[in-house]
């Protein structure tokens, strides 16, 4: 029984290492009211791998929690761009 428990533990741990939740803060330009934020939020939540999205019009910022094993930050920016708003490129690109 101890052996089985050890194997199960390894499988669970391995799965967790592959699917990593990442929080990204993406600057979004062009939002003017609450419904702008809602459309950005909907686009993000509708993207595969996104766990949650919080969009602030005041800050012009989208805070997205996503599974890095399923979706990349670039795809989140593309989803934002499809709604007609501008997602600023990440600052740390050098
Ligand atoms: Cu609006």
């Amino acid at each position: 029984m101890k052996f089985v428990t050890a194997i199960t533990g390894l499988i669970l741990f391995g799965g967790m290492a592959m699917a990593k939740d990442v929080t990204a803060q993406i600057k979004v330009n062009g939002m003017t009211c609450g419904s702008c934020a809602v459309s950005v939020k909907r686009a993000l939540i509708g993207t595969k791998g996104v766990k949650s999205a919080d969009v602030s019009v005041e800050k012009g910022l989208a805070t997205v929690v996503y599974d890095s094993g399923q979706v990349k930050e670039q795809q989140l920016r593309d989803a934002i761009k499809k709604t007609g708003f501008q997602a600023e490129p990440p600052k740390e690109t050098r």
Side-chain angles (χ1 to χ4, degrees), residues 30-39 57 85:
M31 294 190 296
T32 52
C33 69
S35 55
C36 295
V38 169
S39 18
V57 182
F85 299 103

Side-chain angles (χ1 to χ4, degrees), residues 1-34:
M1 278 314 267
K2 263 184 189 168
F3 179 75
V4 172
T5 310
I7 292 291
T8 310
L10 275 174
I11 292 167
L12 282 174
F13 190 74
M16 268 155 63
M18 274 166 67
K20 196 178 161 212
D21 281 1
V22 179
T23 304
Q25 293 208 309
I26 303 171
K27 279 257 183 196
V28 185
N29 289 329
M31 294 190 296
T32 52
C33 69

Side-chain angles (χ1 to χ4, degrees), residues 5-92:
T5 310
I7 292 291
T8 310
L10 275 174
I11 292 167
L12 282 174
F13 190 74
M16 268 155 63
M18 274 166 67
K20 196 178 161 212
D21 281 1
V22 179
T23 304
Q25 293 208 309
I26 303 171
K27 279 257 183 196
V28 185
N29 289 329
M31 294 190 296
T32 52
C33 69
S35 55
C36 295
V38 169
S39 18
V40 171
K41 184 175 173 152
R42 282 215 185 114
L44 288 168
I45 287 172
T47 305
K48 189 178 171 263
V50 173
K51 303 272 172 84
S52 72
D54 207 22
V55 182
S56 163
V57 182
E58 293 81 18
K59 293 177 193 160
L61 195 70
T63 306
V64 193
V65 180
Y66 64 98
D67 180 344
S68 63
Q70 285 189 67
V71 67
K72 295 281 167 276
E73 196 179 347
Q74 185 57 51
Q75 291 168 264
L76 304 178
R77 292 173 193 283
D78 288 345
I80 293 170
K81 282 174 191 164
K82 273 180 199 160
T83 64
F85 299 103
Q86 287 301 309
E88 278 186 20
K91 278 174 193 162
E92 57 289 314

